[in-house]
Amino acid sequence: MTRAAEGGLEERVLGRRWTVRLDAAGRGSAAVRVSCSRPSCAERRLPSAAAGRAAAVDHLKAHLRALAGPRAEAYCACRAEDCHTHLRPEGRQARAEAWRCGGTVVLAVVTDREGRWWQALECCSRCAAATPGAKVVATAPAPAAPSAAAPATGDRPPTALTTTPRFSDLSPSAKGSRDVPAPRGAAAQRRFPGKIAQRTIPRTLRPVELRDELAELGDLFRAYLQRPEPDLLLLADLHARKARAFASWADATGDTGLRLEGQRAEQAAAAARLQHQQRTGIGPDGKQPSVVRLLTAPAHWEHVRSVLAYVAEHAPLPGPEARLLTLMLTLRIAHSGTGNLVGQDITGLGLTDPEGLVEKLASCGWLVLPGTVEGLLASRPENPAHLTVPSLTPREDAPSPFEFGKKTRSKLSSWAQKAVADKKLRKTKATAPVRLLALTLAAQTSTAGDLGPGGEGIALETLTTWCAVGPDGLQQMVDGLLAAEWLAEADFTDTRLTGRLAERVLPLTCPHTR
């Protein structure tokens, strides 16, 4: 490289570069610290490494979105560190060239394999290709080529260094010299027309960046479908990008259908983030861990309420004890109409006369026993009794009243068994009606554990219908739950029961999400 050319490079502006790091917040703690090399960015502390990585990636993406893009007049940011790509000839005897830069200026993101730091930098496309793990996220627009007849400005000849950003180890010569061509990126190599959401992306769509973004999103969604395990945060990011891209596509074409598709993608992103929050126990701010519930999916919570409502309407016998036993048997047998049961499943419900109640259910035809009631109550796990409920057995003319499958039924039944067998309910010798109310209240809370869908309380009419008791009996049952510390507080109005479940009960709750 000539001194003139090297001096021209030195006059160019240094490429931007910043790093987002993830470090341990201290010994003996799972908390992490997320920091950014930009002086205006404040440090953040998060409760876990997973939450820290998500926050670090979001922080880096926010910086990338705020940038106007790479600058065509910049040179490699990594050059300031004398990286191996930019060693001078005296430092590398085997090479004769002083620089190996080439191509257009790009904005690249580099991260380590352990996920401890993320770095964004402006560099040439050749350095980005030579850096392990680097991903190009934006490319500087190519300046217009100068005309051969264009006169020189001032005393400076129209050289490549003054007309077009040049990253080359070759100085221009009079014969046969030419700029190093930029390598073709993924967008340039992609074959159009591409597809996303069953829509064809027009080759003529402008701006080109929008067309390439849509095509890349289509590829990413198809790749996501091939993943062996779901990644809800990744899926939420893809839907959020899709929402923004479809909004821009709608603005460019005036297509209302595209705008509606973007709105649906935005809703899908919010739903995926909510699912991730419920499955991992990390709050939306990444700081406050939320409750880790026994039933993690909102669909399971709706199924619990559907079973409670079905039993309230189709219970074969009156009274809260019969209602509780019917509910537990329904959850055990719901999928196929048949199921296995042991004596402890019935005697552990706090029933006054379990033998007589089972006999009544069998006498009215709702329950079919393989033998005697005494044999059922004496059965053990190694030899369970096989029960049948004809009204829950699917037939061609009468399909199952429930929409969930075998695996979901098992989860719902396990949830109910753990709730009614709660240690403090057993310690206070809670009756069957009290345990039935405990299940009902656990299925009618807000996310924070307040009674009612939005914490506004539960209608007394709903509780008396589901629990098969009158208002006076309901008051006694609430007192029993307060004594067992199932309820932290409770208060009756003329029409509603308000209050809040105890914190220890929150993992058993099935909150209303809407």
Side-chain angles (χ1 to χ4, degrees):
M1 174 180 290
T2 65
R3 294 185 177 274
E6 184 176 347
L9 284 174
E10 296 292 348
E11 294 175 358
R12 306 263 285 285
V13 60
L14 178 64
R16 294 168 291 191
R17 177 187 57 197
W18 68 94
T19 304
V20 180
R21 293 190 58 85
L22 180 67
D23 300 294
R27 294 184 178 180
S29 172
V32 295
R33 182 177 68 252
V34 177
S35 58
C36 181
S37 60
R38 287 196 171 187
S40 59
C41 297
E43 179 181 287
R44 292 183 59 188
R45 290 179 179 266
L46 296 110
S48 66
R53 290 189 182 94
V57 172
D58 289 342
H59 185 87
L60 185 67
K61 288 181 178 180
H63 278 313
L64 295 176
R65 288 193 296 267
L67 288 177
R71 300 165 297 178
E73 68 274 11
Y75 69 87
C76 291
C78 53
R79 177 189 171 200
E81 295 182 340
D82 287 335
C83 68
H84 69 278
T85 306
H86 297 107
L87 287 178
R88 297 179 181 274
E90 56 268 20
R92 304 182 82 173
Q93 298 178 0
R95 291 189 179 276
E97 69 269 26
W99 306 100
R100 294 193 300 152
C101 291
T104 55
V105 182
V106 299
L107 187 62
V109 174
V110 186
T111 182
D112 69 335
R113 294 182 178 180
E114 291 78 14
R116 295 172 300 182
W117 55 262
W118 297 259
Q119 185 178 80
L121 70 159
E122 284 179 311
C123 61
C124 69
S125 57
R126 182 173 291 179
C127 284
T131 303
K135 179 181 179 181
V136 175
V137 296
T139 304
S147 172
T153 302
D155 297 332
R156 296 181 298 172
T159 63
L161 286 174
T162 59
T163 58
T164 303
R166 181 184 180 84
F167 292 86
S168 174
D169 56 329
L170 300 175
S171 58
S173 61
K175 293 183 180 181
S177 67
R178 59 182 179 179
D179 290 352
V180 177
R184 298 183 67 189
Q189 297 173 1
R190 184 177 289 111
R191 296 177 61 185
F192 279 92
K195 277 195 170 185
I196 180 172
Q198 305 301 319
R199 295 176 182 267
T200 301
I201 306 168
R203 182 191 295 272
T204 58
L205 180 63
R206 295 296 182 270
V208 175
E209 291 80 4
L210 173 60
R211 183 197 68 182
D212 293 342
E213 170 73 358
L214 290 168
E216 181 180 357
L217 278 173
D219 294 340
L220 291 175
F221 272 109
R222 285 185 284 273
Y224 182 86
L225 294 177
Q226 305 302 318
R227 292 176 60 92
E229 295 292 336
D231 185 338
L232 294 176
L233 281 182
L234 173 60
L235 181 61
D237 288 340
L238 290 178
H239 279 301
R241 285 178 59 183
K242 178 184 174 183
R244 293 191 295 269
F246 270 69
S248 300
W249 195 0
D251 292 339
T253 61
D255 189 337
T256 305
L258 295 173
R259 194 173 305 280
L260 294 176
E261 183 73 23
Q263 293 173 359
R264 287 191 289 270
E266 188 174 358
Q267 295 171 354
R273 291 192 181 96
L274 178 61
Q275 272 193 311
H276 174 76
Q277 173 188 345
Q278 292 159 352
R279 292 186 178 185
T280 61
I282 302 299
D285 57 357
K287 296 181 180 179
Q288 299 295 332
S290 60
V291 178
V292 180
R293 292 181 169 82
L294 183 62
L295 295 178
T296 57
H300 294 163
W301 309 339
E302 296 298 331
H303 290 321
V304 166
R305 287 186 279 271
S306 70
V307 175
L308 285 168
Y310 175 85
V311 171
E313 185 177 352
H314 297 86
L317 298 174
E321 291 198 355
R323 184 69 54 84
L324 177 62
L325 181 56
T326 303
L327 173 63
M328 301 304 291
L329 292 176
T330 299
L331 287 171
R332 184 60 65 92
I333 298 173
H335 177 63
S336 61
T338 61
N340 294 328
L341 211 71
V342 297
Q344 179 61 32
D345 294 334
I346 297 177
T347 58
L349 298 178
L351 301 171
T352 304
D353 181 15
E355 184 176 348
L357 191 55
V358 174
E359 183 67 40
K360 290 179 181 179
L361 289 175
S363 299
C364 71
W366 187 83
L367 180 65
V368 177
L369 301 176
T372 64
V373 177
E374 292 79 4
L376 168 62
L377 297 181
S379 61
R380 299 181 60 82
E382 59 271 15
N383 187 27
H386 191 70
L387 308 181
T388 302
V389 177
S391 60
L392 297 177
T393 303
R395 302 188 304 273
E396 291 185 3
D397 58 336
S400 173
F402 307 112
E403 298 179 355
F404 48 81
K406 183 177 180 180
K407 291 184 178 180
T408 298
R409 184 215 59 78
S410 178
K411 292 180 180 180
L412 302 186
S413 179
S414 176
W415 165 83
Q417 287 288 351
K418 289 188 177 182
V420 298
D422 176 71
K423 182 178 180 180
K424 292 196 175 183
L425 289 178
R426 289 186 284 110
K427 186 177 180 180
T428 58
K429 298 182 179 179
T431 61
V434 173
R435 301 185 191 210
L436 176 60
L437 180 60
L439 283 174
T440 303
L441 295 184
Q444 295 286 340
T445 69
S446 67
T447 305
D450 297 319
L451 297 183
E456 73 278 7
I458 308 174
L460 297 181
E461 182 180 358
T462 300
L463 291 177
T464 55
T465 301
W466 283 19
C467 298
V469 295
D472 294 338
L474 189 61
Q475 176 68 64
Q476 295 178 1
M477 293 159 64
V478 169
D479 293 340
L481 291 180
L482 288 170
E485 298 181 8
W486 188 274
L487 282 170
E489 57 185 60
D491 186 29
F492 282 91
T493 66
D494 293 338
T495 59
R496 310 187 80 80
L497 171 64
T498 59
R500 178 170 50 86
L501 292 183
E503 186 175 353
R504 71 177 189 85
V505 182
L506 294 182
L508 294 171
T509 56
C510 300
H512 287 270
T513 56
R514 296 185 295 274

